[in-house]
Amino acid sequence: MALVVAAGAASAGLVPTTVLVAGPVFGALVTRYGTETPRLVSLPDAVVFAAAGAAVGEGLLGAVSFCLGVAVRRVVWVLTGGPGAAGQQAQP
């Protein structure tokens, strides 16, 4: 899960972040196919469950990843003095 959040934080934009984190969540949830709970889980049932779980999970993980990415970029911006600050010489 931490890898998904880190990958989402490295991407740019809220929509790409949520799409990026939805894939692994969907993949993890669709593995119910063929398992036996009270009954055998069919592929359509597993896909519907995984899609619903990914829709909920992508919203939460996407928001966390996006906020983490914005925070890291802001810290880097402050520590480096903004873009182009290094290498500029003071004018007399």
Side-chain angles (χ1 to χ4, degrees), residues 22-46:
V25 172
F26 179 84
L29 293 176
V30 83
T31 58
R32 293 184 48 203
Y33 170 63
T35 61
E36 231 176 281
T37 50
R39 62 181 178 81
L40 187 65
V41 178
S42 67
L43 183 58
D45 288 342

Side-chain angles (χ1 to χ4, degrees), residues 4-82:
V4 171
V5 172
S11 71
L14 185 58
V15 173
T17 301
T18 55
V19 170
L20 180 68
V21 299
V25 172
F26 179 84
L29 293 176
V30 83
T31 58
R32 293 184 48 203
Y33 170 63
T35 61
E36 231 176 281
T37 50
R39 62 181 178 81
L40 187 65
V41 178
S42 67
L43 183 58
D45 288 342
V47 169
V48 167
F49 176 77
V56 172
E58 78 175 307
L60 177 63
L61 287 175
V64 168
S65 298
F66 181 73
C67 292
L68 181 65
V70 168
V72 168
R73 282 189 289 274
R74 178 137 333 184
V75 167
V76 169
W77 176 281
V78 169
L79 292 177
T80 60

